[in-house]
Amino acid sequence: MKLTTIYSHLRNDLSTIENDLEKTIEAQHSILQDASIQLLKAGGKRIRPVFVLLSAQFGKYDVDRVKRAAVALELIHMASLVHDDVIDDASLRRGKSTIKAQWDNRVAMYTGDYIFARSLEYITHLNKLEAHKVLSEAIMEMCLGEIEQIREQYDLDQNIRDYFRRIKRKTALLISVSCELGALAGDAELHVQRQLKQFGYNVGMAFQITDDILDFTSTEKQLGKPAGGDLQQGNITLPVFFAMRNPDFKARLESVFDNQPIPQNVMEELIRDIKAMGAIENSKGISDRYLKKAFKALRQLPDNRAKRSLKQIAEYIGRRNY
Amino acid sequence: MNNNDIGRKISELLLQINQKLQHPYLMRFIDEPVIDEDKLLLTYIMLKDKELSEIELEYYAVSTMLVQVALDTHEKITSHDLSGEYDKKNRQLTVLAGDYYSSLYYYLLSEIKDLSMIRTLAQAIQEINENKMQYYKNENQSIENSMENIHRIESSLLLKTAEHFHLPLWKGIADEFTFMKRMLMERRSIQNNTYTPLVAKIMNQFNRSKGGWLSLKNQILEVVDSYILHSKIRLEKLWAEEPVMHLMLEKRIEQYIEQSGFRVKKYAEEG
């Protein structure tokens, strides 16, 4: 089943979200407007708004209220992508030209800052003080996480706990906050909010681990960039941690990192070794453990259609192959 | 509150802001963030006009300055290719530092539960980025439009804050003070033969085939001086309505005038 099929019953509300996304990023300057629209049209799964909408259905669902969190979270995510492309010096995202490539870094910085400010303005109309505390802390943590990621690049002596903390900040936090804010915006009961937050966190961890696996198992066509891109940038992800249990692999990686960039043929060998050492299966095992915890959190929630959709989304994340 | 008290308070606030900006790893690679002390002073003095508690005043002044530092940090991002590892890391971490400082303002204002101020500062950021984009990308815009962009880029943050707290007089002061300071800085750069984006924009409007750099430089200075003079006159009028609190600001602007070589008398005689 496709992801969009799972939440097809949200079609109308997602279209409200899409309209608001478009309205919110309207800008007077044509390049600012074009850059923002390009970003919006590049698509994406809109997974964060979906989590917000579904979580809000555990309370008093009012799309006009809930959309404040859904739209803002997607915009925050979009703004961070624009700046990430400057950080990674990336010309392509999802196979399409990035803002920094189409215009330049300066335009990307202005666009990211503009979209981020629009998102904050938009969400201030959600008059829930607790929501702002949660979101502002999460954004701060996300920034710190990205700084840590750069600090830990090419560091082969880092601990696997560093990796989990990094992906928590990088991905799981915003998904967890999407669920929590949805529940908050819908005035769901406190214990429901907590379980949804837990669900989001665990799904987010599984999502990122799966992403890190796919970076080694997918084709360039599927990824929209060459396989092994994370390793090329010095990012040590879970499959690499498992592969590094073999001292020879670790020593080899050490010498490869001394001569960057990693040539294509060497990268292919490394990927082959990672796969041969069972690192992919081990990583999948960890991802499954997070998914199990996500399902456990879901079991504490009242039965409804939203719960079934959340479960299907989590299952989808567990088996997606690109 | 006398000037000494204000000076002491500004030093305290600078310390507070600096503590928030410090991040050991960032500091190893990025340029030391610069806090615009004049904007801090302006923010503090104008908020002093409202009956705010000292804590509230601190939160607002610190948040506003964090936004300014965040924007200034991102302004350092260039577009040319980099080859050295250190330079690459500097750029990456400069992007993240700006994002981090920006997140701090939202976090601080969430702490004091002030959603409307979050909104106000967010609107200011939007306006500034719209104007930066116009200034950066519209190469052939008129001098007047470029100057309007500079006005907004320099003052929107304080202007929106003044609006938020219903301080119409300070709105005008903030607008003219920040613009005049920027123009005086530009003047100084031109005097030192630095080719700034403003120089390029003014030159675009001239017939470049006539005369050498010296004659061109004088023409550019003439344009800049006319805007400085206009701002100075406006500022003096506004200061007359605010006889006490502006004295420190007046002193600051006199220093910038001195450093820039701007002379009212000379300009008036020639003009």
Side-chain angles (χ1 to χ4, degrees):
Chain A
M1 194 190 287
K2 275 176 144 183
L3 194 57
T4 42
T5 316
I6 298 171
Y7 47 77
S8 58
H9 60 286
L10 297 173
R11 201 179 299 123
N12 286 345
D13 290 349
L14 278 172
S15 142
T16 303
I17 301 294
E18 211 59 35
N19 287 338
D20 267 41
L21 279 169
E22 209 161 316
K23 265 190 265 166
T24 311
I25 56 165
E26 267 174 19
Q28 282 170 27
H29 194 275
S30 58
I31 295 181
L32 202 51
Q33 170 83 3
D34 292 348
S36 304
I37 291 287
Q38 177 178 313
L39 202 62
L40 196 65
K41 299 291 177 201
K45 302 175 200 76
R46 304 283 186 256
I47 197 80
R48 292 154 197 85
V50 166
F51 279 130
V52 174
L53 297 180
L54 290 172
S55 298
Q57 290 180 1
F58 289 88
K60 296 186 279 285
Y61 188 79
D62 170 6
V63 72
D64 285 331
R65 189 172 149 85
V66 172
K67 72 178 184 183
R68 292 284 161 195
V71 170
L73 283 165
E74 190 63 9
L75 290 178
I76 289 167
H77 172 63
M78 278 169 55
S80 76
L81 295 184
V82 188
H83 285 182
D84 282 353
D85 290 335
V86 176
I87 293 167
D88 299 338
D89 199 17
S91 340
L92 290 175
R93 179 172 286 278
R94 296 184 194 120
K96 290 182 181 152
S97 191
T98 58
I99 290 180
K100 71 139 269 159
Q102 183 156 346
W103 286 279
D104 58 31
N105 282 348
R106 199 50 88 75
V107 170
M109 294 316 296
Y110 294 157
T111 307
D113 283 347
Y114 180 80
I115 295 175
F116 180 65
R118 293 294 281 178
S119 72
L120 289 196
E121 185 192 0
Y122 187 87
I123 201 170
T124 53
H125 295 284
L126 174 66
N127 206 358
K128 272 265 173 194
L129 294 171
E130 180 62 15
H132 294 280
K133 192 170 173 290
V134 168
L135 182 59
S136 65
E137 273 176 16
I139 295 172
M140 200 168 65
E141 279 290 310
M142 281 161 57
C143 293
L144 289 171
E146 287 217 57
I147 294 167
E148 284 299 299
Q149 173 159 317
I150 290 182
R151 193 170 73 88
E152 288 159 358
Q153 272 171 346
Y154 301 105
D155 176 6
L156 296 178
D157 293 325
Q158 63 183 283
N159 196 296
I160 199 163
R161 279 196 301 272
D162 296 327
Y163 167 78
F164 288 123
R165 192 183 54 211
R166 204 160 59 228
I167 67 166
K168 174 191 167 184
R169 286 163 147 178
K170 182 180 173 180
T171 306
L173 211 51
L174 203 55
I175 294 182
S176 168
V177 165
S178 302
C179 295
E180 193 178 3
L181 289 196
L184 262 163
D187 284 327
E189 288 176 38
L190 195 60
H191 75 96
V192 172
Q193 285 175 29
R194 283 192 189 135
Q195 294 304 332
L196 283 164
K197 178 183 170 182
Q198 272 306 309
F199 168 79
Y201 164 75
N202 286 299
V203 165
M205 294 296 277
F207 186 88
Q208 187 55 50
I209 293 170
T210 308
D211 239 23
D212 293 343
I213 292 171
L214 293 175
D215 191 53
F216 292 114
T217 57
S218 300
T219 60
E220 182 168 352
K221 197 178 167 200
Q222 287 168 325
L223 289 169
K225 56 182 181 179
D230 288 332
L231 197 56
Q232 186 66 266
Q233 288 183 317
N235 293 324
I236 316 296
T237 56
L238 194 55
V240 182
F241 274 101
F242 280 117
M244 281 200 303
R245 287 181 174 173
N246 179 328
D248 291 342
F249 181 87
K250 189 176 174 183
R252 184 143 173 260
L253 201 54
E254 216 153 22
S255 80
V256 163
F257 275 170
D258 283 341
N259 301 294
Q260 302 150 32
I262 307 171
Q264 182 67 25
N265 61 325
V266 177
M267 181 60 83
E268 281 166 12
E269 282 171 29
L270 288 171
I271 294 176
R272 220 169 20 240
D273 288 351
I274 288 168
K275 286 178 182 169
M277 281 186 277
I280 300 297
E281 285 71 24
N282 287 338
S283 302
K284 276 184 181 158
I286 301 286
S287 169
D288 286 344
R289 271 204 256 169
Y290 278 109
L291 285 176
K292 271 183 195 158
K293 285 185 194 171
F295 294 136
K296 190 180 168 195
L298 270 190
R299 281 197 292 275
Q300 322 295 318
L301 295 170
D303 286 325
N304 57 25
R305 189 175 187 175
K307 179 174 168 174
R308 288 193 292 280
S309 296
L310 287 174
K311 186 164 183 277
Q312 285 172 325
I313 292 172
E315 283 164 349
Y316 171 87
I317 284 167
R319 62 165 192 273
R320 76 190 170 112
N321 49 19
Y322 67 93
Chain B
M1 197 175 218
N2 61 33
N3 286 357
N4 284 345
D5 293 336
I6 294 177
R8 207 173 305 120
K9 195 67 214 177
I10 295 298
S11 302
E12 275 174 37
L13 287 170
L14 278 171
L15 197 70
Q16 263 195 52
I17 299 164
N18 257 318
Q19 278 169 350
K20 294 198 186 301
L21 299 177
Q22 293 307 310
H23 180 292
Y25 184 68
L26 283 181
M27 291 308 132
R28 272 175 54 198
F29 291 95
I30 68 165
D31 305 334
E32 184 81 23
V34 177
I35 304 164
D36 187 329
E37 288 188 37
D38 295 311
K39 285 184 181 167
L40 174 62
L41 180 65
L42 254 168
T43 310
Y44 184 78
I45 293 178
M46 80 178 175
L47 291 179
K48 259 292 179 204
D49 256 9
K50 298 302 285 185
E51 286 183 8
L52 299 170
S53 71
E54 204 54 28
I55 292 285
E56 279 176 316
L57 208 158
E58 279 179 16
Y59 263 96
Y60 293 131
V62 171
S63 308
T64 307
M65 291 319 293
L66 284 171
V67 173
Q68 186 65 53
V69 175
L71 292 169
D72 292 345
T73 302
H74 279 169
E75 203 56 29
K76 292 175 190 160
I77 300 297
T78 52
S79 294
H80 59 272
D81 287 338
L82 300 173
S83 50
E85 274 314 301
Y86 183 89
D87 289 343
K88 280 183 187 168
K89 206 163 256 193
N90 169 283
R91 180 180 282 169
Q92 291 175 322
L93 290 170
T94 304
V95 174
L96 292 174
D99 289 347
Y100 175 59
Y101 299 152
S102 195
S103 77
L104 288 178
Y105 108 79
Y106 180 35
Y107 178 74
L108 278 185
L109 292 176
S110 298
E111 262 190 349
I112 56 164
K113 304 176 172 62
D114 194 338
L115 298 189
S116 68
M117 187 62 177
I118 294 170
R119 194 177 309 142
T120 294
L121 294 183
Q123 286 165 347
I125 298 170
Q126 290 163 38
E127 194 169 297
I128 290 168
N129 280 292
E130 284 262 21
N131 279 278
K132 279 184 172 177
M133 194 71 103
Q134 276 172 23
Y135 188 71
Y136 177 56
K137 278 291 175 190
N138 299 4
E139 283 162 15
N140 291 317
Q141 67 181 154
S142 67
I143 294 173
E144 204 177 315
N145 284 345
S146 298
M147 293 300 181
E148 184 51 31
N149 288 151
I150 294 178
H151 258 291
R152 299 283 74 81
I153 291 165
E154 291 299 328
S155 73
S156 286
L157 203 54
L158 304 190
L159 218 123
K160 292 268 179 199
T161 304
E163 256 175 28
H164 180 91
F165 288 100
H166 310 291
L167 296 161
L169 175 64
W170 283 102
K171 208 175 135 178
I173 293 177
D175 191 13
E176 293 304 337
F177 181 95
T178 53
F179 176 76
M180 188 173 167
K181 179 187 165 185
R182 167 76 182 265
M183 282 299 110
L184 289 166
M185 297 294 204
E186 292 278 354
R187 191 185 202 285
R188 203 174 161 191
S189 302
I190 299 164
Q191 286 281 34
N192 295 331
N193 301 316
T194 309
Y195 191 84
T196 67
L198 183 64
V199 169
K201 279 173 181 292
I202 298 175
M203 273 171 67
N204 265 346
Q205 305 296 316
F206 291 162
N207 184 351
R208 271 184 265 179
S209 59
K210 286 181 186 170
W213 163 244
L214 206 65
S215 124
L216 208 53
K217 179 178 164 179
N218 285 333
Q219 277 181 278
I220 295 166
L221 281 175
E222 224 172 275
V223 172
V224 171
D225 283 356
S226 70
Y227 279 92
I228 294 175
L229 186 65
H230 181 77
S231 242
K232 193 171 188 302
I233 293 167
R234 283 251 313 140
L235 209 47
E236 278 161 3
K237 271 187 195 158
L238 290 162
W239 277 341
E241 293 176 49
E242 174 38 271
V244 185
M245 298 297 273
H246 78 270
L247 290 173
M248 283 181 88
L249 293 167
E250 197 174 353
K251 214 170 157 186
R252 300 287 269 253
I253 216 82
E254 275 166 11
Q255 280 173 6
Y256 293 120
I257 289 176
E258 185 69 32
Q259 290 161 3
S260 74
F262 174 77
R263 300 279 178 273
V264 178
K265 200 170 161 231
K266 182 172 172 279
Y267 180 83
E269 277 168 6
E270 285 177 357

